[in-house]
Amino acid sequence: MYVITGATGNTGSVIAETLLKAGKNVRVVGRDPKRLEKFTERGAESFIADATDVGALTKAFAGAKAVYAMIPPNIGAPDVRGYMESVSDALRSAIRENGTKHAVVLSSVGADKSHGTGPVAGLHSLAKKLEGIPGLNALFLRAGYFMENILSQAGVIKSMGIMAGPVTEDLRLPMIATRDIGAYAGEALLKLDFTQKSTHELQGPRDVTYVETAKFVGAAIGTEDLTYKMVPGAQLKPVLMQIGMSSNMADLLLEMADALNSGDMKMLERRSPANTTLTTLETFVADAFLPAYRG
């Protein structure tokens, strides 16, 4: 039995699909049974649980051969790090109490740092907790900057006529499509050839600046002169809160941007075929951003 947390999310859904296609027994964990139906219709077992519920998650992990462990985002939480600690505590307890032998864990660039990286510090804490479980073989996937982060720019473009954000114009980001993270994680769960505790970076196809991103987006939407502008955090925070972020989440996001801008938060591995994924930004813009913009 494979247990997938965050099964309806961008990475978890790809993992569940991969395992079901391979004929594996899969238990999908989530809070909304309706959203899990697409998996149960294909033979998966659903388990309804809140990610912070230690007892429920421990039951969900019962009999698991391997698990996909991740902290579902909660951008509206008044105390985001507190929420993340609750989830990581529940994951540690569920894995330890069930004697789970293998776990693929969603992590991030910058998770080598214990503080100063916004929400990513919570993923550092998760790794430390799981590293302390004897007998667990854990693969921590330190993924790059999600291409999905640019989807929120659709509204910015419509209201301001530009792309805008907290990172500098010339910062080269290892942008990655979340579907590629899910595909890698799914294959890792099928193979289960990782031992002890290890990290693996996923850097996307190449590093890209937001200025370059604006050119790709502009070409796709028919605005060839589209530009990107860095906006100071003090100006950006009210906008972030208007789209549903708590004040604390906005502060953490801006802290993460500062860590990226300063170079304190960066990939540690040299780019190689092993950590380079397939989906280009141009493909993502055509497949995901353009429909979101038009919609």
Side-chain angles (χ1 to χ4, degrees):
M1 174 68 71
Y2 290 88
V3 177
I4 311 301
T5 59
T8 60
N10 289 330
T11 59
S13 60
V14 174
I15 295 166
E17 292 285 354
T18 299
L19 296 174
L20 288 169
K21 188 175 180 180
K24 303 298 182 180
N25 292 325
V26 177
R27 182 179 298 143
V28 287
V29 182
R31 291 189 300 173
D32 186 347
K34 195 71 177 176
R35 294 182 65 193
L36 293 173
E37 283 182 359
K38 64 179 180 179
F39 303 119
T40 56
E41 289 170 354
R42 297 183 53 194
E45 174 188 331
S46 67
F47 195 102
I48 309 306
D50 186 279
T52 63
D53 189 329
V54 176
L57 215 56
T58 300
K59 291 179 181 178
F61 281 21
K65 176 181 181 180
V67 303
Y68 175 62
M70 57 92 69
I71 300 179
N74 186 355
I75 66 171
D79 176 8
V80 175
R81 282 298 313 280
Y83 159 77
M84 295 182 78
E85 290 300 316
S86 295
V87 177
S88 59
D89 282 343
L91 288 169
R92 174 177 58 184
S93 180
I95 290 171
R96 184 180 58 203
E97 294 303 313
N98 284 292
T100 306
K101 295 301 181 185
H102 287 85
V104 172
V105 186
L106 179 61
S107 188
S108 169
V109 56
D112 54 299
K113 302 287 193 303
S114 63
H115 62 279
T117 56
V120 175
L123 300 178
H124 173 90
S125 177
L126 170 62
K128 290 300 179 185
K129 291 175 183 179
L130 299 188
E131 285 170 1
I133 301 177
L136 172 66
N137 302 296
L139 175 62
F140 299 95
L141 298 180
R142 289 186 181 170
Y145 186 91
F146 292 175
M147 290 181 186
E148 280 74 6
N149 290 336
I150 73 170
L151 293 177
S152 62
Q153 294 289 335
V156 177
I157 295 168
K158 290 178 180 179
S159 62
M160 299 175 60
I162 62 170
M163 292 179 67
V167 299
T168 59
E169 289 87 349
D170 60 351
L171 178 65
R172 305 198 70 80
L173 294 165
M175 289 194 186
I176 184 170
T178 54
R179 63 193 182 202
D180 289 350
I181 302 169
Y184 189 95
E187 288 301 314
L189 286 168
L190 287 174
K191 294 176 182 176
L192 293 182
D193 56 358
F194 53 92
T195 58
Q196 299 183 26
K197 314 295 191 298
S198 60
T199 63
H200 181 78
E201 291 185 355
L202 294 173
Q203 300 188 10
R206 68 184 189 278
D207 295 352
V208 188
T209 68
Y210 257 97
V211 170
E212 293 169 332
T213 301
K215 291 180 181 178
F216 299 142
V217 171
I221 66 174
T223 307
E224 297 292 341
D225 59 349
L226 185 68
T227 59
Y228 169 81
K229 180 182 178 181
M230 180 187 178
V231 178
Q235 295 180 29
L236 193 58
K237 182 176 177 178
V239 179
L240 296 174
M241 293 179 66
Q242 283 180 357
I243 62 173
M245 289 188 188
S246 66
S247 176
N248 179 243
M249 181 65 211
D251 288 339
L252 289 174
L253 183 69
L254 294 172
E255 179 181 90
M256 183 181 74
D258 287 343
L260 287 166
N261 289 335
S262 69
D264 192 45
M265 184 173 163
K266 61 184 179 182
M267 289 296 188
L268 303 179
E269 299 174 8
R270 179 173 295 181
R271 182 176 286 280
S272 69
N275 58 33
T276 297
T277 51
L278 295 177
T279 304
T280 65
L281 184 58
E282 295 94 323
T283 298
F284 179 84
V285 168
D287 293 350
F289 183 87
L290 191 54
Y293 180 81
R294 289 173 172 167

